[in-house]
Amino acid sequence: MYSTIDIVWLQDDLRIADNPLLHFASPPSFLLCLYVLDEQWLYPLFDGESTPRIGPARLRFLWQSLMELRGELLKRGSDLLVRIGKPSDVVIELASTLNARQVRVADHAGVDETAHIQAVQQGLPSQTALECIESGRLIDRQSLPFECEALPASFSCFRRSVEHECTVPVSRCAPVTLPPWPEAARGFPPLKAVCEQSATWHPDSRQGYAYRGGESAAHGRLNDYLWRQQGGETYKKTRNGLLGANFSTRVSPWLARGCLSARQVNDAVKAWEAENGSNESSYWITFELLWREYFIRAAQLEGEQMFGSRQTDKPCAVFDAWRNGTTGLPFVDAAMLELRHTGWLSNRARQNVASFLVKDLKVDWRLGALWFEHCLIDYDVASNWGNWRYIAGIGRDPRQDRYFNVLKQAGHYDPQGLYVAHWLKPLEKLPHGLARHQPWRVDPTAFKPPCVEPEQWERWLIPSLEVQEIDEMSSHEVDLRAKTL
């Protein structure tokens, strides 16, 4: 009997359930599941530096996700082959060697990933077909109420159109079994062999939530947040938080790696609403899924334009101060330290540090986007670059007034200075309140002024105080003096 071999080429779809790549109209005799770590991710992020494009936190989370995926595939009679190299070359070589019937891959919003898919399509032997499938989307392309080229210019228009015209399909169950592994090499390199720094990296103990890659951890977190934490009741009120585990869903890393699909999140929210009733907070979780969807569609439409029209500037002194958390502004420095040492950052903090880099430090926004790409365990090409363009005022629906007054924001979202003192221990000696956000004004002998002091901060500055005055004042009095300005 004639046997067939299919290759499932996995990228950001590292799950068994709700993965269309693992459902076949005509199953092959044998199945080879493949993941290729793009060798370019291990190259320097910036010329003249050794910092790789993919940072240790992000690579560690990815490897954890791959390890669990392999275990789930083995349970179903398959396996996972992991290679390092140029993805298109690896896929073409395997397809040729195995005389594969087809290569199945999910489409992608990234320019590099799309280029590899196109290269595979052109380089496959004539007997091997390429099947490119949509995966992980909330709404399929053919179900959208407009052509992709006619994507609404603003998210608000997109949301109204989709909410009025579209129904989100339910997610699909995981296959019980899969076709067996062919007579082919197996291999899964240990993380230490790929990047020793990542293999030995551990997040700072001050992190608000301990992440672990993989499908089971993703569903564990989603269920815990919705049912035990009752996040469906509180999300909209708490989503701008800075400290702790449960002010946010925190499922973005698993969505980014495809350990969790958008439809699975939507299903979980609808199940919670069926028992508890819908409300503004539960709606807002699915609202955020629509933002993600919009950025994906925008990235697919814009292609190379998403990354700007010229070469990025070179890293400069103020950019180094920003990424190292040494600008002298506690709200920014605390956030950048959290990002560096945990691989994650709240949405509120991301918006503030991005605005500060672009609008106050006057640094090329693309340097910030690249640094986030290096650090974030939830790095997603469409959301990351789309959000940076949005802050810079050059994306879709461009406006130049997206300025975050970081000093004002700090006082509003961290009024007691608990977040900044959590990451910057010297601030603990200062009273609770605005003093912790402006330490150079209340204790100039111990704290240097920030590298910039924009004029927009003027009305939010607390009066300069001598050190002995601060020691004698309660935190309430410090807060009161600031509020009377």
Side-chain angles (χ1 to χ4, degrees), residues 6-17:
D6 283 2
I7 295 174
V8 166
W9 171 21
L10 297 160
Q11 298 185 98
D12 287 327
D13 34 33
L14 306 183
R15 64 185 180 279
I16 298 294

Side-chain angles (χ1 to χ4, degrees), residues 75-228:
K75 291 176 186 177
R76 290 161 173 80
S78 187
D79 200 347
L80 178 65
L81 174 63
V82 176
R83 292 274 186 88
I84 301 168
K86 185 177 180 181
S88 53
D89 289 351
V90 173
V91 173
I92 292 169
E93 180 211 350
L94 279 170
S96 301
T97 302
L98 297 174
N99 193 26
R101 177 183 71 166
Q102 66 174 344
V103 171
R104 295 163 65 86
V105 65
D107 71 348
H108 204 286
V111 170
D112 292 344
E113 291 82 358
T114 299
H116 284 303
I117 293 172
Q118 292 172 346
V120 167
Q121 186 172 34
Q122 296 169 3
L124 284 175
S126 58
Q127 72 273 14
T128 304
L130 176 72
E131 187 173 7
C132 192
I133 304 169
E134 276 203 311
S135 174
R137 307 287 182 265
L138 204 60
I139 301 162
D140 293 329
R141 182 185 293 110
Q142 64 268 24
S143 299
L144 291 171
F146 43 76
E147 296 297 323
C148 291
E149 296 74 17
L151 180 72
S154 71
F155 168 71
S156 295
C157 292
F158 169 84
R159 176 184 60 79
R160 287 193 294 268
S161 177
V162 168
E163 287 181 338
H164 184 259
E165 300 286 343
C166 300
T167 300
V168 178
V170 298
S171 59
R172 303 175 72 173
C173 295
V176 177
T177 61
L178 289 167
W181 195 257
E183 291 294 328
R186 300 176 188 244
F188 195 125
L191 182 54
K192 186 176 181 179
V194 180
C195 176
E196 189 164 354
Q197 180 191 12
S198 185
T200 58
W201 185 89
H202 292 284
D204 193 289
S205 60
R206 293 170 290 177
Q207 66 179 347
Y209 179 82
Y211 281 105
R212 181 171 182 81
E215 202 168 352
S216 62
H219 288 282
R221 169 57 188 178
L222 183 58
N223 290 332
D224 179 78
Y225 178 76
L226 286 174
W227 295 98
R228 194 164 75 86

Side-chain angles (χ1 to χ4, degrees), residues 43 45 248 298 413 438 448:
Y43 294 170
L45 182 66
S248 168
Y413 292 103
Q438 302 175 40
K448 294 181 179 180

Side-chain angles (χ1 to χ4, degrees), residues 231-233 235-236 269 272-273 277-287:
E233 291 281 2
Y235 176 75
K236 191 170 188 295
V269 173
W272 184 88
E273 289 180 332
S278 60
N279 61 70
E280 196 173 26
S281 281
S282 62
Y283 164 74
W284 214 259
I285 298 174
T286 55
F287 175 92

